[in-house]
Amino acid sequence: MNITKLLNKVYFAPRLKEIELYTEHAGELQAGVLKRLVRMAANTEWGKKYDYASIRTYEDFKKRLPIQTYEEIKPYVARLRAGEQNLLWPSEICWFAKSSGTTNDKSKFIPVSAESLRYCHYQGGSDCVALYLRENPQSRFFSGKGLILGGSRAQNPFGKAYCGDLSAILIQNINPLINLIRVPSKKIALMSEWDTKLEAIAESTIDRDITNLSGVPSWFLVLIKHILKKTGRQNLTEVWPNLEVFFHGGISFAPYREQYRELISNPDMHYVETYNASEGFFAVQNDLSVAGMLLLIDLGIFYEFIPLGKSNEHAVPLWEVEAGRNYEMVITSNGGLWRYRMGDTVKILSTNPLKISISGRTKHYINAFGEELMVDNAEQAIARTCAQTGASVLNYTAAPVYMTDHSKGRHQWLIEFGELPVPVEIFAEKLDTNLQNLNSDYEAKRFKSIALECLEIIPAKTGIFDAWLRDHNKLGGQHKIPRLYNRRDIIEEILRYNR
């Protein structure tokens, strides 16, 4: 008996009927989400400040509330962490997802409510499975275990407030029944020391029947290589023959795709992109044959979008976005975030239903010479260059080198290669060409090298990116290297490790 088919019919298929409403009723669904959020928070300190009781429409909401950054809500977060309640959201807030910092702080602490856990993060994970089973009806997903690679245990240095990686918070609050179908044990999953945890995960899962993986591609690659070395196998399919799907997120999968294909030989292996951030579960790939993710619009998140390069006043709701354009995403959530700028940029691929791709971060790009190089350009160019040269890239970061009296400007890339079968100069030339093919602004600045010289690549010593993350207490879990940066402070810091 295929238990997956039974569970799909009873539990997941009914949800698909609700998701089908996204196509024709997106505006109605989003308006309903906003109405519920405003109504629930009307008696909070924030709700009273902005007179939520009198808000009737999106236009009222937009006029009443300014768009917020973390700096503007930080005083409320500090009070919540100290134990005050009913500030941003009516239910008790005692969990805070620790995220990458702002200009003034090392870390942000994103409030996580019971509603955001249940109706957003966990429901988003369930929707991933529902949509995957629709795409793969012969799946035996539940015949084995799911291996989830997450962060370390959330700590409580401030009394009742627990702070940690979102993945750790999810594992610590998960329904005990889910532990019957996932590995490793909670004790191992929440270990803080990455190297010890790596060995413990490998030791406890090698002999299990693993059918699905969930996590960040770069960290899973480290685990897979460790398992293959430990078992003496050449391919992960030899270790877990029933492995069928990898739900990945956090960073682009493009630079890692070929490496995964080499390490997992199963021709029926599937890769599903997800968009699950500290602030909420936003989107999942719903068609495995094409790129792009379906925005999940009924999980307690109201979405607004600022056209890239425009001011806050140009923010529009979901029903006014245009396909083909890049936007900064703004969210209002059931965790108490109100018109909150996340810093993520997305490209709208289609509007009916609304599908997106992550194009980068508002702070993670290079525009030193008017080239407007976004992370998605970089990821695609690296993937194409690897395919052309047979190389593989494990990690990288890039920053501009500015013009001097003696030289023109250029981009400098620090790349840790898994394999590099061609001279680094050849890889650099092909990467530069691919960037020009993908980005017309970069191509224009590179024309005859008048404004911008060919990019420079510095091969990184093995493990320096991990060393940098370790020294910043970011090794493992959902942490990642900033890919593109307009300033040179991060690349200079990592270059010191390379020397």
Side-chain angles (χ1 to χ4, degrees):
M1 179 181 178
N2 186 347
I3 186 67
T4 302
K5 285 191 174 182
L6 178 61
L7 289 173
N8 186 27
K9 182 178 180 179
V10 173
Y11 184 75
F12 295 103
R15 172 60 179 155
L16 292 176
K17 294 181 179 179
E18 297 174 347
I19 292 176
E20 287 173 2
L21 297 176
Y22 289 7
T23 302
E24 300 296 336
H25 301 281
E28 298 169 41
L29 290 169
Q30 276 282 277
V33 167
L34 179 60
K35 184 177 180 179
R36 287 190 295 274
L37 293 174
V38 169
R39 184 178 66 244
M40 288 185 69
N43 291 319
T44 63
E45 182 175 311
W46 183 275
K48 291 177 181 177
K49 176 181 178 180
Y50 291 104
D51 192 17
Y52 274 18
S54 67
I55 292 177
R56 297 289 180 268
T57 65
Y58 167 68
E59 287 69 27
D60 294 340
F61 180 73
K62 184 176 181 179
K63 290 176 183 177
R64 193 78 49 82
L65 269 77
I67 287 179
Q68 311 289 320
T69 66
Y70 183 76
E71 297 301 328
E72 274 120 20
I73 68 163
K74 182 181 173 183
Y76 289 88
V77 173
R79 291 168 60 193
L80 285 167
R81 289 172 65 192
E84 289 190 61
Q85 296 296 335
N86 202 40
L87 302 178
L88 298 170
W89 189 249
S91 64
E92 184 180 16
I93 304 287
C94 58
W95 296 91
F96 297 84
K98 192 175 179 181
S99 183
S100 55
T102 65
T103 303
N104 302 319
D105 291 288
K106 182 179 179 180
S107 299
K108 294 184 293 187
F109 297 92
I110 305 301
V112 180
S113 69
E115 290 83 1
S116 64
L117 280 174
R118 179 177 178 183
Y119 300 112
C120 187
H121 290 291
Y122 291 138
Q123 184 60 54
S126 178
D127 287 351
C128 286
V129 177
L131 290 165
Y132 168 69
L133 294 180
R134 185 190 68 180
E135 292 289 292
N136 186 25
Q138 301 307 314
S139 168
R140 302 190 71 87
F141 187 92
F142 292 105
S143 65
K145 305 284 187 179
L147 172 51
I148 301 174
L149 192 57
S152 57
R153 182 180 298 276
Q155 305 297 323
N156 59 332
F158 304 102
K160 293 182 68 177
Y162 288 81
C163 306
D165 294 342
L166 171 70
S167 56
I169 293 173
L170 294 176
I171 290 172
Q172 284 178 250
N173 288 277
I174 203 166
N175 186 317
L177 291 175
I178 303 299
N179 289 320
L180 299 176
I181 58 172
R182 59 164 289 275
V183 290
S185 67
K186 186 179 289 189
K187 179 181 178 181
I188 293 174
L190 297 175
M191 284 181 172
S192 57
E193 176 54 47
W194 170 248
D195 295 329
T196 305
K197 179 176 177 174
L198 186 73
E199 174 61 22
I201 293 175
E203 188 66 33
S204 65
T205 60
I206 282 173
D207 296 324
R208 306 301 291 271
D209 182 13
I210 305 298
T211 62
N212 58 96
L213 311 174
S214 300
V216 178
S218 54
W219 295 117
F220 247 113
L221 200 59
V222 175
L223 175 63
I224 290 170
K225 290 183 176 180
H226 183 75
I227 287 173
L228 293 178
K229 182 178 180 180
K230 188 176 179 68
T231 60
R233 304 296 177 88
Q234 298 297 311
N235 197 282
L236 196 62
T237 305
E238 300 174 48
V239 182
W240 298 323
N242 295 318
L243 181 64
E244 62 175 76
V245 61
F246 178 23
F247 296 100
H248 60 84
I251 59 176
S252 171
F253 191 58
Y256 301 97
R257 188 176 296 277
E258 288 305 316
Q259 295 180 68
Y260 273 87
R261 284 175 176 166
E262 290 176 6
L263 295 174
I264 305 174
S265 61
N266 181 2
D268 296 323
M269 181 68 183
H270 301 95
Y271 298 93
V272 180
E273 184 178 11
T274 65
Y275 184 7
N276 188 18
S278 299
E279 296 86 351
F281 202 121
F282 303 129
V284 59
Q285 187 176 0
N286 67 322
D287 183 345
L288 301 185
S289 63
V290 295
M293 293 177 285
L294 179 72
L295 197 68
L296 301 171
I297 59 176
D298 60 351
L299 303 190
I301 306 283
F302 180 77
Y303 295 95
E304 294 175 271
F305 301 86
I306 304 174
L308 218 54
K310 298 289 186 178
S311 62
N312 291 353
E313 290 72 25
H314 291 86
V316 297
L318 169 151
W319 52 86
E320 292 182 15
V321 296
E322 300 175 20
R325 295 192 67 176
N326 278 288
Y327 295 85
E328 179 184 353
M329 202 158 76
V330 175
I331 65 164
T332 290
S333 79
N334 51 8
L337 300 175
W338 300 98
R339 302 199 81 197
Y340 178 77
R341 295 181 68 167
M342 290 182 48
D344 285 357
T345 61
V346 299
K347 184 176 183 179
I348 305 298
L349 303 180
S350 68
T351 59
N352 194 24
L354 201 146
K355 296 184 69 170
I356 63 171
S357 63
I358 302 172
S359 54
R361 298 276 295 170
T362 53
K363 294 182 180 179
H364 292 181
Y365 62 92
I366 301 177
N367 192 30
F369 311 97
E371 66 275 43
E372 295 190 358
L373 184 66
M374 304 294 289
V375 172
D376 64 330
N377 299 146
E379 303 283 10
Q380 290 184 57
I382 285 178
R384 290 184 184 184
T385 309
C386 285
Q388 291 164 356
T389 61
S392 62
V393 169
L394 301 178
N395 241 322
Y396 74 91
T397 190
V401 176
Y402 290 95
M403 299 176 185
T404 68
D405 293 338
H406 307 290
S407 65
K408 298 173 184 175
R410 66 187 184 279
H411 289 182
Q412 186 179 65
W413 295 63
L414 179 62
I415 300 180
E416 181 180 352
F417 291 97
E419 304 230 0
L420 183 59
V422 299
V424 67
E425 294 80 10
I426 298 298
F427 190 92
E429 290 174 7
K430 291 186 177 296
L431 179 59
D432 190 82
T433 299
N434 284 321
L435 286 172
Q436 292 184 55
N437 291 336
L438 288 163
N439 184 313
S440 59
D441 290 319
Y442 183 81
E443 181 183 35
K445 301 304 179 291
R446 283 284 294 115
F447 180 69
K448 294 185 178 181
S449 298
I450 293 173
L452 195 63
E453 292 182 329
C454 181
L455 62 85
E456 171 195 9
I457 290 179
I458 300 175
K461 294 178 181 177
T462 301
I464 67 161
F465 288 99
D466 286 353
W468 184 84
L469 287 168
R470 182 183 287 109
D471 289 349
H472 287 75
N473 297 315
K474 293 183 176 182
L475 189 62
Q478 294 182 312
H479 300 295
K480 52 237 181 214
I481 296 289
R483 296 307 199 191
L484 305 180
Y485 219 56
N486 237 11
R487 304 197 311 268
R488 289 195 55 81
D489 48 335
I490 290 178
I491 197 170
E492 290 289 355
E493 195 173 324
I494 302 175
L495 278 169
R496 287 196 286 272
Y497 288 74
N498 210 44
R499 301 185 189 114

